[in-house]
Amino acid sequence: MLHVHRHETGAVPDTVLRSMFEARKRVFVDLLKWEVPVLNGRYEIDQFDDAHAVYLVLADARGNHLGSARLLPTDRPHLLDSLYPALCEDAPPRGPSVFEITRFCLDRDLRAAERRRVRDTLVTALVDHALAAGITAYSAIAEMGWLQQILAFGWRCAPLGLPRESDGRLLGALRIDIDETTPGLLAAAGMRGDAVLGAPPTRAAA
């Protein structure tokens, strides 16, 4: 099931959010060895996990994390402009209708086929959420392997500058433009979200 959490609504059960922050710690800290804050030895939470962040979380019936992404508004401090502006040839994309995708996280316990299913559902949910919320573009930062996957999803996506090394990782920044044709572009490239996994529909949840 897809949960969309905004600070002002507080509609997502605490168990779902805790499961998400735990999963982020297992992926970004335990697996990928990122040097980022960890709360109580269990939860990966940084300075951008504040009242302005929006979370899209796919969880099973018990609230266990399957996949998630954090969206940050770009008309206030966010990762690209605050920590990685050198990844952009020009100024980072900004504006009330531009959000930054961060902490795209697939649970470590998923098998390969499940990972693909959850990944595709989360990507299509990001597009549906954008269309429902008036978001016209996303920005994102990614390591090279993940960046190449993002470019191949079928949507209109372009690098913002040349990749650069940071803390031993080769990173690149992207802009993803979203409009009413984007769902069809994803489908044509083979990206099809699981309607059951994503139920209820993102537009209703948003």
Side-chain angles (χ1 to χ4, degrees):
M1 180 177 178
L2 177 69
H3 300 270
V4 179
H5 174 76
R6 297 183 182 85
H7 179 75
E8 66 270 20
T9 64
V12 176
D14 287 344
T15 53
V16 171
L17 292 178
R18 285 199 301 269
S19 180
M20 176 193 70
F21 288 121
E22 285 183 319
R24 281 174 33 174
K25 192 262 185 183
R26 294 179 62 208
V27 170
F28 300 122
V29 178
D30 298 343
L31 178 64
L32 298 179
K33 308 301 181 184
W34 289 10
E35 294 185 4
V36 291
V38 175
L39 179 65
N40 296 332
R42 294 179 59 187
Y43 308 109
E44 188 275 302
I45 298 176
D46 70 8
Q47 68 268 36
F48 299 104
D49 289 303
D50 59 18
H52 301 279
V54 177
Y55 302 98
L56 272 62
V57 188
L58 288 170
D60 66 17
R62 297 182 178 180
N64 297 314
H65 177 271
L66 300 172
S68 57
R70 179 181 67 184
L71 304 180
L72 301 177
T74 61
D75 53 2
R76 65 183 317 279
H78 56 286
L79 280 166
L80 190 54
D81 80 326
S82 299
L83 303 179
Y84 298 99
L87 294 177
C88 298
E89 183 175 343
D90 299 315
R94 289 178 179 272
S97 67
V98 181
F99 276 67
E100 181 183 55
I101 302 173
T102 67
R103 297 303 197 265
F104 190 101
C105 180
L106 303 178
D107 203 88
R108 287 186 66 180
D109 292 335
L110 296 174
R111 298 175 181 175
E114 294 173 321
R115 285 180 63 84
R116 173 65 183 266
R117 176 183 174 217
V118 171
R119 184 202 71 178
D120 289 5
T121 302
L122 189 53
V123 169
T124 56
L126 284 165
V127 171
D128 284 346
H129 174 75
L131 293 173
I135 296 171
T136 60
Y138 286 125
S139 60
I141 301 165
E143 295 188 44
M144 287 307 297
W146 178 226
L147 184 148
Q148 291 168 348
Q149 289 186 53
I150 296 171
L151 289 170
F153 286 165
W155 47 18
R156 281 186 291 275
C157 180
L160 292 170
L162 294 175
R164 292 176 179 265
E165 186 172 343
S166 176
D167 297 326
R169 298 179 290 150
L170 191 59
L171 303 178
L174 302 163
R175 177 188 174 101
I176 304 162
D177 290 300
I178 306 292
D179 63 24
E180 67 277 0
T181 68
T182 307
L185 295 174
L186 292 181
M191 294 286 295
R192 292 179 174 85
D194 189 314
V196 174
L197 185 62
T202 309
R203 291 172 188 262

